[in-house]
Amino acid sequence: MDCLMIFNHLNDLIFTKHNAIFEEHIKNLALAQGLILKEQLEETLDSNVFIQLFSPIVSSHRIMHFQFGNSYTTIQFHTDFKLQFREFMDYVFIVISGEKVANLIDMFVTFARYLCGPEIYQLRTNNCKSTLYTRLIDQWLLLRNRDQAVFVEGLEQLIINNDISATCLQSLKESIAKLSVHPECSKIHALLFVDNKCLSLYSSTPAKELAPADILFLIILTHCVSEESGHLESFQVLLSGSDVEPKCLPHAVHVVELLSQVFLVYLVEMGDPLVSATLFETFHHLHRLRFIQVQREMASIQMGYENVDLSIRKLNGYLKKCKVKNLESSQKQLIKKWDVLKGKYREYLKTLSNEALLRAESLAMNLLDSLKEIHNLTAVDDSILKCSAAHVLQAIPKVRQDLADFNEYFLVKGIKNFSLGSEDSLTKHKYLEEFPGLVHFLYIDRNTHKVTTPSLDMQAEKAEFIQKKIWSMVTFAHSHLQEGHTAIIWKDTIFTYGYFLWFEDSSGDSLKFTLTPDLGSKIPGILHEDYYMKLKTAMHPKLPAQKVRAYELFVMYLGLVTASSVLEQTRKLASTIWELKSLPTHVINLI
């Protein structure tokens, strides 16, 4: 990634991240256009230079977006470089990169949402958040290039013996019991990670179940903490939650490297989740309404107006029950502003008066200011962050003491969870004997997003070559999934590959489908949004998504293995994984 820029609705640059080569290129352009003097080449590049160079394309993008509903997504240069665009809450994200990463810009929007929610301007005003945002991007780029689970956006469970697993869980349970007696820590989760793998999780009774996407985000976040062992770092984040559409649910997160490569994370729920979710929904509907009203399509404006009205009424009801200082006056201002704005929309829908609609456009900005004020009052609480951090500091030493004897064991397992040729607590089967020609596989339960895959030994001969082939296999398979193919087998000059995605009901019976729906440009994954949940809903609309189970299996064989053998062995392989997970085996319909 060469450059990321974020512009607000006034085309002001609020955030930029770029490498040295790109900065030198921009300086040379600025010098050629007279934007800087020659003696300024050695100075830090001023943000005004970016604004002057990129404002025309940002303005053009906004005109295409608002007036024609046909905004730019990608501009391809004559080289491999691309200019990508995304809109989020009236902010324009622009990425310039030569990397072939389909979801690059979506991930940058996602990390901004996790840190700032709808108020992306914090990346300009809050140095701690902008620094953490930069670190998140850097760590994600590193992890997706070396870790299988992060690359496929899944969760890998560390495979350990039952006694050690019970010890870990009991330690977390005891620490949660002590922490949850404090009112601000009543809804709390404790998680243990070894490098990028999940070790243990325990939650207090009132706490909401964590979504797999949020756990994956926390794994990436642990790599952003200080390298100083034992140092606690605390942040406020806004998690997505487990709904189909991401929300912005405020949490305090405390991260410490408990032992070498062993991270302990405490996650404390903050505020009222109903207020937070409805507030984010209101932001979304209001921005959507501001977009469609430029089109002057009466039916769309009517629907957009009704969505905003409904979400504000819901929000007002939740705010009345919310006990937050100084909230009442902001709440009254919100309703007062909406009543005025609502009158202008009603006038337009009745008379088609352009003057009424133009007035509504300016009033909408005032309403946004009130929503941002309520967001700051209900989603940001430094007192809970500091108070819960103090309690967590007291709980850490006992957990460290409980697990200290296992540190070396965790380090070994973190590097090599299991391999194809091993026969340990995970593998009842020796895969190299049972599946001749098998080189690698990734099995992903797309209901929990748990990944089962052999560890990659990067010290082995041709390890980097094998890794490159695996990453290429996943990318190729997912590109065909986006085209509607759920089962494919293909070859190159060295290996034979297979990819299978299948669906079952809650009884384990295969669910048939005739056509894979078009999900547009959506990328398979869970961090930006849960692609598989949307796919389940679209492919089996008559069943609740929670009752449809989806599974993914990638296989890589030596090139001599035939397609029919791949299909036969893949069915058997899937069954053995079910046995290893102590689940009932059944015939799996892969095609």
Side-chain angles (χ1 to χ4, degrees):
M1 194 273 291
D2 291 83
C3 181
L4 163 65
M5 295 171 286
I6 306 176
F7 292 86
N8 66 6
H9 68 286
L10 299 174
N11 282 9
D12 281 340
L13 183 69
I14 68 158
F15 179 87
T16 181
K17 172 179 167 56
H18 52 270
N19 60 28
I21 295 175
F22 185 82
E23 179 170 341
E24 183 179 354
H25 176 69
I26 292 297
K27 283 181 177 179
N28 290 331
L29 278 178
L31 182 63
Q33 296 185 27
L35 301 178
I36 62 172
L37 301 174
K38 190 172 183 179
E39 51 266 28
Q40 292 177 287
L41 288 173
E42 301 302 319
E43 299 177 5
T44 302
L45 195 58
D46 190 277
S47 62
N48 287 324
V49 172
F50 284 94
I51 293 172
Q52 292 181 72
L53 288 174
F54 289 95
S55 277
I57 192 68
V58 174
S59 298
S60 176
H61 167 82
R62 289 192 184 279
I63 291 170
M64 293 296 293
H65 178 65
F66 280 102
Q67 294 191 11
F68 302 103
N70 187 24
S71 58
Y72 305 136
T73 56
T74 304
I75 296 177
Q76 177 73 57
F77 296 102
H78 66 279
T79 61
D80 288 335
F81 280 84
K82 290 181 180 179
L83 195 68
Q84 293 181 295
F85 300 81
R86 287 293 184 277
E87 287 259 355
F88 178 72
M89 297 295 174
D90 223 11
Y91 291 85
V92 176
F93 289 67
I94 298 179
V95 167
I96 300 175
S97 177
E99 295 185 53
K100 296 180 179 179
V101 182
N103 64 338
L104 195 66
I105 194 166
D106 289 330
M107 293 307 304
F108 297 162
V109 173
T110 297
F111 292 139
R113 189 191 73 219
Y114 267 110
L115 296 186
C116 305
E119 183 54 317
I120 304 300
Y121 197 76
Q122 293 176 79
L123 291 176
R124 183 172 185 173
T125 59
N126 189 320
N127 186 59
C128 292
K129 290 207 172 186
S130 62
T131 301
L132 180 57
Y133 183 55
T134 299
R135 287 156 68 185
L136 276 168
I137 291 172
D138 288 339
Q139 290 304 315
W140 174 73
L141 289 170
L142 287 172
L143 288 170
R144 76 176 304 279
N145 286 329
R146 72 176 180 86
D147 185 86
Q148 299 179 87
V150 174
F151 185 69
V152 299
E153 295 192 18
L155 303 172
E156 186 175 0
Q157 182 72 40
L158 195 72
I159 308 301
I160 58 176
N161 71 53
N162 292 336
D163 291 339
I164 297 178
S165 178
T167 299
C168 294
L169 189 63
Q170 183 62 28
S171 182
L172 295 185
K173 181 179 180 180
E174 291 173 359
S175 72
I176 288 292
K178 292 178 180 178
L179 288 168
S180 59
V181 299
H182 303 286
E184 59 274 10
C185 296
S186 60
K187 300 175 182 179
I188 186 170
H189 310 266
L191 305 95
L192 282 168
F193 301 117
V194 176
D195 195 16
N196 312 314
K197 299 175 179 64
C198 302
L199 173 56
S200 193
L201 162 66
Y202 190 84
S203 307
S204 63
T205 303
K208 291 184 177 296
E209 183 179 356
L210 287 176
D214 292 332
I215 296 176
L216 181 55
F217 168 75
L218 292 174
I219 289 173
I220 300 168
L221 185 65
T222 60
H223 289 266
C224 300
V225 302
S226 169
E227 294 182 359
E228 181 184 346
S229 182
H231 177 68
L232 180 70
E233 290 201 40
S234 302
F235 315 96
Q236 289 194 45
V237 298
L238 296 113
L239 300 187
S240 297
S242 54
D243 292 342
V244 175
E245 297 297 334
K247 307 298 182 185
C248 280
L249 308 175
H251 286 72
V253 55
H254 308 286
V255 184
V256 63
E257 187 171 4
L258 193 71
L259 305 164
S260 179
Q261 294 300 305
V262 179
F263 296 92
L264 173 62
V265 177
Y266 287 101
L267 197 62
V268 181
E269 293 182 19
M270 298 168 59
D272 186 326
L274 292 174
V275 169
S276 301
T278 310
L279 183 59
F280 186 69
E281 181 183 295
T282 307
F283 270 107
H284 170 76
H285 286 312
L286 184 57
H287 280 290
R288 180 64 184 165
L289 177 57
R290 291 182 61 235
F291 163 68
I292 60 179
Q293 70 188 26
V294 179
Q295 313 295 317
R296 299 295 196 271
E297 294 180 4
M298 188 173 178
S300 299
I301 292 175
Q302 172 83 40
M303 183 179 297
Y305 153 74
E306 290 174 354
N307 286 337
V308 175
D309 187 49
L310 177 61
S311 62
I312 286 183
R313 283 192 280 116
K314 283 168 55 181
L315 178 61
N316 188 43
Y318 294 138
L319 289 174
K320 287 178 179 179
K321 302 174 185 178
C322 191
K323 298 178 181 179
V324 175
K325 290 181 180 179
N326 306 319
L327 180 60
E328 186 177 353
S329 61
S330 298
Q331 177 188 356
K332 289 179 179 178
Q333 280 295 313
L334 174 70
I335 300 305
K336 183 178 179 180
K337 289 180 180 180
W338 173 238
D339 285 340
V340 176
L341 179 56
K342 186 163 55 174
K344 294 301 176 184
Y345 281 120
R346 284 176 172 172
E347 182 183 343
Y348 169 76
L349 292 170
K350 187 176 181 179
T351 66
L352 296 182
S353 165
N354 284 330
E355 183 181 345
L357 199 58
L358 287 171
R359 181 63 179 146
E361 289 176 7
S362 61
L363 289 171
M365 294 303 295
N366 292 330
L367 187 67
L368 273 174
D369 290 338
S370 288
L371 288 173
K372 290 174 183 177
E373 188 175 320
I374 290 173
H375 170 76
N376 290 332
L377 287 170
T378 58
V380 180
D381 196 331
D382 289 334
S383 62
I384 289 182
L385 185 70
K386 292 176 181 177
C387 190
S388 58
H391 298 316
V392 163
L393 279 170
Q394 296 177 1
I396 290 172
K398 179 62 167 62
V399 181
R400 180 180 286 118
Q401 179 184 337
D402 291 342
L403 305 184
D405 291 343
F406 310 123
N407 192 24
E408 188 174 340
Y409 175 76
F410 290 149
L411 287 174
V412 172
K413 294 296 292 182
I415 296 171
K416 188 176 181 180
N417 209 12
F418 86 98
S419 64
L420 285 177
S422 65
E423 187 165 3
D424 53 21
S425 59
L426 174 72
T427 50
K428 296 176 185 175
H429 302 267
K430 286 188 177 180
Y431 284 93
L432 292 179
E433 296 177 5
E434 294 284 332
F435 304 99
L438 179 63
V439 177
H440 195 73
F441 72 87
L442 291 101
Y443 172 89
I444 310 167
D445 181 335
R446 281 302 180 184
N447 312 289
T448 62
H449 301 286
K450 293 288 181 68
V451 177
T452 303
T453 183
S455 301
L456 295 177
D457 183 1
M458 297 310 296
Q459 305 303 316
E461 184 181 357
K462 297 185 178 180
E464 291 186 7
F465 172 76
I466 296 294
Q467 184 194 37
K468 185 178 179 180
K469 287 292 185 180
I470 294 168
W471 264 237
S472 177
M473 169 180 67
V474 172
T475 302
F476 181 87
H478 276 167
S479 69
H480 281 267
L481 175 61
Q482 290 175 279
E483 295 174 0
H485 306 293
T486 59
I488 53 174
I489 296 174
W490 72 101
K491 300 182 71 168
D492 61 18
T493 57
I494 304 173
F495 299 112
T496 299
Y497 308 89
Y499 170 71
F500 307 93
L501 173 72
W502 69 96
F503 300 88
E504 299 173 358
D505 61 20
S506 53
S507 301
D509 294 326
S510 177
L511 288 173
K512 302 288 186 179
F513 58 91
T514 56
L515 183 67
T516 304
D518 181 10
L519 295 182
S521 60
K522 298 184 185 302
I523 307 296
I526 62 173
L527 273 170
H528 182 62
E529 58 184 358
D530 193 334
Y531 176 91
Y532 299 91
M533 182 69 76
K534 289 179 180 289
L535 192 61
K536 289 191 287 186
T537 301
M539 295 183 74
H540 305 285
K542 295 182 180 180
L543 289 174
Q546 293 76 11
K547 292 189 177 181
V548 178
R549 295 175 178 174
Y551 303 92
E552 257 186 329
L553 184 57
F554 303 83
V555 291
M556 179 174 166
Y557 285 87
L558 294 176
L560 295 175
V561 179
T562 63
S564 58
S565 295
V566 168
L567 188 59
E568 180 184 348
Q569 288 198 31
T570 299
R571 286 195 179 98
K572 185 178 178 183
L573 176 61
S575 297
T576 64
I577 294 170
W578 277 65
E579 289 176 17
L580 300 172
K581 291 174 170 288
S582 300
L583 296 169
T585 59
H586 53 278
V587 177
I588 298 169
N589 187 3
L590 297 176
I591 57 173

